[in-house]
CSV table of all heavy atoms in Angstrom, one decimal:
chain,number,residue,atom,x,y,z
S,36,ALA,N,70.3,108.6,173.2
S,36,ALA,CA,70.2,110.1,173.0
S,36,ALA,C,71.5,110.7,172.7
S,36,ALA,O,71.6,111.5,171.8
S,36,ALA,CB,69.7,110.6,174.4
S,37,ASP,N,72.7,110.3,173.3
S,37,ASP,CA,74.0,110.8,173.0
S,37,ASP,C,74.4,110.5,171.6
S,37,ASP,O,74.8,111.3,170.8
S,37,ASP,CB,75.1,110.2,173.9
S,37,ASP,CG,74.9,110.7,175.3
S,37,ASP,OD1,74.2,111.7,175.5
S,37,ASP,OD2,75.6,110.0,176.2
S,38,ARG,N,74.1,109.2,171.1
S,38,ARG,CA,74.4,108.8,169.8
S,38,ARG,C,73.6,109.6,168.7
S,38,ARG,O,74.1,109.9,167.6
S,38,ARG,CB,74.4,107.3,169.5
S,38,ARG,CG,75.0,106.7,168.4
S,38,ARG,CD,76.6,107.1,168.2
S,38,ARG,NE,77.2,106.4,169.4
S,38,ARG,CZ,77.9,105.2,169.3
S,38,ARG,NH1,77.7,104.6,168.2
S,38,ARG,NH2,78.4,104.8,170.3
S,39,ALA,N,72.3,109.8,169.0
S,39,ALA,CA,71.4,110.5,168.1
S,39,ALA,C,71.6,111.9,168.3
S,39,ALA,O,70.9,112.7,167.4
S,39,ALA,CB,70.0,110.0,168.4
S,40,GLN,N,72.3,112.4,169.2
S,40,GLN,CA,72.5,113.9,169.4
S,40,GLN,C,71.2,114.6,169.7
S,40,GLN,O,70.9,115.6,169.2
S,40,GLN,CB,73.2,114.5,168.3
S,40,GLN,CG,74.7,114.0,168.0
S,40,GLN,CD,75.4,114.7,167.0
S,40,GLN,OE1,74.9,115.0,165.9
S,40,GLN,NE2,76.7,114.9,167.1
S,41,VAL,N,70.4,114.0,170.6
S,41,VAL,CA,69.2,114.6,171.0
S,41,VAL,C,69.1,114.4,172.6
S,41,VAL,O,70.0,113.7,173.1
S,41,VAL,CB,67.9,113.9,170.5
S,41,VAL,CG1,67.9,114.1,169.0
S,41,VAL,CG2,67.8,112.4,170.8
S,42,SER,N,68.2,115.0,173.4
S,42,SER,CA,68.0,114.8,174.7
S,42,SER,C,67.4,113.5,175.1
S,42,SER,O,66.7,113.0,174.2
S,42,SER,CB,67.3,116.0,175.3
S,42,SER,OG,65.9,116.0,174.9
S,43,THR,N,67.6,113.1,176.3
S,43,THR,CA,66.8,111.8,176.7
S,43,THR,C,65.3,112.1,176.7
S,43,THR,O,64.5,111.3,176.4
S,43,THR,CB,67.2,111.4,178.1
S,43,THR,OG1,67.1,112.4,179.0
S,43,THR,CG2,68.7,110.9,178.1
S,44,GLY,N,65.0,113.4,177.0
S,44,GLY,CA,63.5,113.7,176.9
S,44,GLY,C,62.9,113.6,175.6
S,44,GLY,O,61.9,113.2,175.3
S,45,ALA,N,63.7,113.9,174.6
S,45,ALA,CA,63.4,113.9,173.2
S,45,ALA,C,63.1,112.4,172.8
S,45,ALA,O,62.2,112.0,172.1
S,45,ALA,CB,64.4,114.5,172.2
S,46,VAL,N,64.0,111.5,173.3
S,46,VAL,CA,63.9,110.1,173.1
S,46,VAL,C,62.5,109.6,173.6
S,46,VAL,O,61.8,108.9,173.1
S,46,VAL,CB,65.1,109.3,173.6
S,46,VAL,CG1,64.8,107.8,173.4
S,46,VAL,CG2,66.3,109.6,172.9
S,47,GLN,N,62.3,110.0,174.9
S,47,GLN,CA,61.0,109.6,175.7
S,47,GLN,C,59.9,110.2,175.1
S,47,GLN,O,58.7,109.5,175.1
S,47,GLN,CB,61.3,109.9,177.1
S,47,GLN,CG,62.4,109.2,177.8
S,47,GLN,CD,62.7,109.6,179.2
S,47,GLN,OE1,62.7,110.9,179.5
S,47,GLN,NE2,63.0,108.7,180.1
S,48,ARG,N,59.9,111.3,174.4
S,48,ARG,CA,58.7,111.8,173.7
S,48,ARG,C,58.4,111.1,172.5
S,48,ARG,O,57.3,111.0,172.0
S,48,ARG,CB,59.0,113.3,173.4
S,48,ARG,CG,58.8,114.2,174.6
S,48,ARG,CD,58.8,115.7,174.2
S,48,ARG,NE,60.1,116.2,173.7
S,48,ARG,CZ,61.0,116.7,174.4
S,48,ARG,NH1,60.9,116.6,175.8
S,48,ARG,NH2,62.0,117.0,173.8
S,49,CYS,N,59.4,110.5,171.9
S,49,CYS,CA,59.2,109.7,170.7
S,49,CYS,C,58.9,108.2,171.0
S,49,CYS,O,58.1,107.6,170.3
S,49,CYS,CB,60.5,109.6,169.8
S,49,CYS,SG,61.0,111.2,169.0
S,50,PHE,N,59.3,107.8,172.1
S,50,PHE,CA,59.0,106.3,172.6
S,50,PHE,C,58.7,106.3,174.0
S,50,PHE,O,59.6,106.7,174.8
S,50,PHE,CB,60.3,105.5,172.1
S,50,PHE,CG,60.6,105.4,170.7
S,50,PHE,CD1,61.7,106.2,170.3
S,50,PHE,CD2,59.9,104.8,169.8
S,50,PHE,CE1,62.1,106.2,169.0
S,50,PHE,CE2,60.2,104.8,168.4
S,50,PHE,CZ,61.3,105.6,168.1
S,51,ARG,N,57.7,105.7,174.4
S,51,ARG,CA,57.2,105.8,175.8
S,51,ARG,C,58.1,104.7,176.6
S,51,ARG,O,58.4,104.9,177.8
S,51,ARG,CB,55.8,105.3,175.9
S,51,ARG,CG,54.8,106.3,175.4
S,51,ARG,CD,53.4,105.7,175.3
S,51,ARG,NE,53.3,104.6,174.3
S,51,ARG,CZ,52.3,103.8,174.1
S,51,ARG,NH1,51.2,104.1,174.8
S,51,ARG,NH2,52.3,102.9,173.3
S,52,THR,N,58.6,103.7,176.0
S,52,THR,CA,59.5,102.8,176.7
S,52,THR,C,60.6,102.3,175.7
S,52,THR,O,60.7,102.5,174.5
S,52,THR,CB,58.6,101.5,177.1
S,52,THR,OG1,58.3,100.8,175.9
S,52,THR,CG2,57.4,101.9,177.9
S,53,LYS,N,61.6,101.6,176.3
S,53,LYS,CA,62.7,101.1,175.6
S,53,LYS,C,62.2,99.9,174.6
S,53,LYS,O,62.6,99.8,173.6
S,53,LYS,CB,63.8,100.4,176.5
S,53,LYS,CG,64.9,99.9,175.8
S,53,LYS,CD,66.0,99.3,176.9
S,53,LYS,CE,67.1,98.6,176.0
S,53,LYS,NZ,68.1,98.1,177.0
S,54,ASP,N,61.2,99.2,175.2
S,54,ASP,CA,60.6,98.1,174.3
S,54,ASP,C,60.1,98.7,173.0
S,54,ASP,O,60.2,98.2,171.9
S,54,ASP,CB,59.6,97.3,175.1
S,54,ASP,CG,60.2,96.4,176.1
S,54,ASP,OD1,61.3,96.1,175.9
S,54,ASP,OD2,59.5,96.1,176.9
S,55,GLU,N,59.4,99.8,173.1
S,55,GLU,CA,58.7,100.5,172.0
S,55,GLU,C,59.7,100.9,171.1
S,55,GLU,O,59.7,100.8,169.9
S,55,GLU,CB,57.8,101.6,172.5
S,55,GLU,CG,57.1,102.3,171.3
S,55,GLU,CD,56.2,103.4,171.8
S,55,GLU,OE1,55.6,103.3,172.9
S,55,GLU,OE2,56.1,104.5,171.1
S,56,MET,N,60.9,101.5,171.6
S,56,MET,CA,62.0,101.9,170.8
S,56,MET,C,62.6,100.8,170.0
S,56,MET,O,63.0,100.9,168.8
S,56,MET,CB,63.0,102.7,171.7
S,56,MET,CG,64.2,103.2,170.9
S,56,MET,SD,65.4,104.0,172.0
S,56,MET,CE,66.1,102.7,173.0
S,57,LEU,N,62.9,99.7,170.8
S,57,LEU,CA,63.5,98.5,170.0
S,57,LEU,C,62.6,97.9,168.9
S,57,LEU,O,63.1,97.5,167.9
S,57,LEU,CB,63.8,97.4,171.1
S,57,LEU,CG,64.9,97.8,172.1
S,57,LEU,CD1,65.1,96.7,173.0
S,57,LEU,CD2,66.2,98.1,171.4
S,58,ARG,N,61.2,98.0,169.2
S,58,ARG,CA,60.3,97.4,168.2
S,58,ARG,C,60.4,98.3,166.9
S,58,ARG,O,60.3,97.9,165.8
S,58,ARG,CB,58.9,97.3,168.7
S,58,ARG,CG,58.7,96.2,169.6
S,58,ARG,CD,57.2,95.8,169.8
S,58,ARG,NE,56.5,97.0,170.3
S,58,ARG,CZ,56.3,97.2,171.7
S,58,ARG,NH1,56.9,96.5,172.6
S,58,ARG,NH2,55.6,98.4,172.0
S,59,PHE,N,60.4,99.6,167.2
S,59,PHE,CA,60.5,100.5,166.0
S,59,PHE,C,61.8,100.4,165.2
S,59,PHE,O,61.9,100.3,164.0
S,59,PHE,CB,60.4,102.0,166.4
S,59,PHE,CG,60.4,102.9,165.3
S,59,PHE,CD1,59.2,103.3,164.6
S,59,PHE,CD2,61.7,103.6,165.0
S,59,PHE,CE1,59.3,104.2,163.5
S,59,PHE,CE2,61.6,104.6,163.9
S,59,PHE,CZ,60.5,104.8,163.2
S,60,ALA,N,62.9,100.1,166.0
S,60,ALA,CA,64.3,99.9,165.3
S,60,ALA,C,64.3,98.7,164.6
S,60,ALA,O,64.8,98.7,163.5
S,60,ALA,CB,65.3,100.0,166.4
Side-chain angles (χ1 to χ4, degrees):
D37 287 344
R38 192 62 62 94
Q40 297 184 320
V41 299
S42 67
T43 54
V46 175
Q47 291 170 325
R48 284 191 291 275
C49 288
F50 303 103
R51 292 170 296 177
T52 65
K53 180 180 176 180
D54 286 339
E55 184 179 321
M56 181 179 69
L57 293 181
R58 288 197 299 273
F59 182 85

